[in-house]
Amino acid sequence: MSSREPALDATDARLLRELIDHPRATGVELAARLGLARNTVQSRLARWESAGVLAGFERRVEPRALGYPLSAFVAVVVDQHRLDAVVDELARIPEVTEVCGMTGATDLTVRVVARDADDLYRLAGAVLKIPGVERTTMSLIMRELVGPRTAPLLDRLAGPQAE
C-alpha cells in the first residue's frame, strides 16, 4: 500500500488472519466465517491485490522436500557501483531463495539452500565469483525456530475479538 492509502483496519486484519488459517476458502466462505457481506470481502481482496498488500498465494514448498536439506545465510560485501549487477547474478542462481539489502557491515544477506556440504561449498564459490562481490561470510542454519509470519501482527490489529 502506498503512504496515501489508509492503513488496514480491524476488519481487514480479521479477514487476512482468516486467509492465513484457511488459504483455500472462497469469498463466500470467508464472509460467512466473519459475518461480513460477500461484496465486502470481494472488494477488500481486490483492493489488496491491486495495492500489493497480498503476494501470490502459492503454497510454501519446503526446499528439504525438493532435496535441499541444508540452508545458510551468506553475508555479502559488494562494490557499491556493481550492486544491481550482483543482485541480478544472484537471482540467476536457483539455490538462492532470498536476497535482502542490509545496513551495517555487509550489503546483502542471501539465503541459499544446498543438497549437501559439497553443494554448499560450490554455492559459496559461485557467489564469490560474481564480479563485484568483495567478500562473503556464511552461517549454516541449524534449525528455523520462528518462521516468516504476520499472524501475530494481524491479531494485534484485529483486537480482542480475534483471540
Side-chain angles (χ1 to χ4, degrees), residues 18-137:
E18 195 67 29
L19 278 171
I20 289 171
D21 292 341
H22 305 282
R24 300 181 107 188
T26 65
V28 172
E29 291 170 333
L30 293 168
R33 288 175 198 253
L34 295 171
L36 299 171
R38 182 185 57 81
N39 288 340
T40 300
V41 170
Q42 296 295 36
S43 68
R44 287 176 189 240
L45 291 172
R47 184 180 79 226
W48 296 335
E49 286 185 52
S50 67
V53 171
L54 297 177
F57 278 98
E58 67 186 59
R59 292 180 184 209
R60 183 172 178 199
V61 178
E62 290 294 330
R64 178 177 304 281
L66 302 174
Y68 296 89
L70 295 180
S71 294
F73 285 113
V74 183
V76 182
V77 176
V78 177
D79 172 350
Q80 293 301 300
H81 297 98
R82 296 179 145 184
L83 180 61
D84 290 340
V86 169
V87 171
D88 289 344
E89 286 299 315
L90 288 168
R92 288 188 181 98
I93 300 172
E95 296 89 351
V96 169
T97 61
E98 186 176 9
V99 178
C100 297
M102 307 298 290
T103 62
T106 60
D107 301 305
L108 302 172
T109 297
V110 180
R111 187 171 189 159
V112 298
V113 295
R115 294 185 184 281
D116 54 33
D118 289 335
D119 195 30
L120 191 57
Y121 186 82
R122 176 192 62 80
L123 281 166
V127 171
L128 276 169
K129 285 182 185 176
I130 296 172
V133 170
E134 295 178 354
R135 67 181 175 281
T136 64
T137 306

